[in-house]
Amino acid sequence: MITQVRGRLVEKSPTEVVVDCNGVGYLLHISLNTFSGLPADENVVLYTHLSIREDAHTLFGFINKTEREVFKLLISVSGVGPSIARTMCSSMTSEEIQNAIASENVAVIQSVKGIGAKTAQRVIVDLKDKILKTFDVDAISYTESNTNKDEALSALDVLGFHKKQSEKIVNAVLKENPDATVEKIIKLALKNL
């Protein structure tokens, strides 16, 4: 029904904004990614999704159409409501969500607060084909880099490092060097552990 809001940014917090459109203030619930992408000036355009339930009409705002489409796909999955989808969009970028689904990375999806193992698997089963078709994500390349990550994590585990700490550092290494080999990932991770 309401697909876009253009106006003056009146209030802003990490979870919601108020946009004044010709005298009417719209409260939009936003993700942290949208919050960090908001322009410095007052004029703003946000793409929206109106969630209608028995007890509430809630307007969600997004900085770009891709984030809105990912959000809509997420809420189409049974067990994933708008608040969990917004938390997921806050925890990861749209591209990271697409890559996690395309590469069937249950652990990454499950790392989002409110998503258990079954829901994470349901997200992958329901959305993998849609993500691959809609966003033209290459599943093979992400699976390959994922294998490097898994091998590096298991090597660090064998060396006696804590899994959570290792995973955090390996993720940071992969952000800076997405094409790193297993050996390079381990070497760089060891410097930071």
Side-chain angles (χ1 to χ4, degrees), residues 14 38 81 95 133 146 176 179 192:
L38 287 172
E95 290 74 26
K133 284 180 192 167
N146 223 14
E176 291 179 352
D179 301 322
N192 295 310

Side-chain angles (χ1 to χ4, degrees), residues 7-20 25-30 35 38 42 44 46:
R8 195 169 57 85
L9 195 60
V10 181
E11 292 176 33
K12 108 176 166 178
S13 77
T15 56
E16 57 190 33
V17 293
V18 175
V19 179
D20 180 341
Y26 289 94
L27 174 73
L28 296 116
H29 296 269
I30 59 170
F35 178 74
L38 287 172
E42 289 184 347
V44 68
L46 291 174

Side-chain angles (χ1 to χ4, degrees), residues 95-96 98-106 108 124 128 131-132 137-152 174 178-180 182 185:
E95 290 74 26
E96 288 170 340
Q98 293 167 31
N99 296 341
I101 293 170
S103 62
E104 299 183 24
N105 194 335
V106 176
V108 170
I124 289 169
K128 184 177 180 187
I131 291 282
L132 292 173
V137 177
D138 184 9
I140 298 159
S141 68
Y142 295 112
T143 309
E144 185 183 311
S145 64
N146 223 14
T147 307
N148 289 350
K149 177 185 170 184
D150 293 344
E151 284 181 36
L174 284 171
D179 301 322
V182 178
I185 295 170

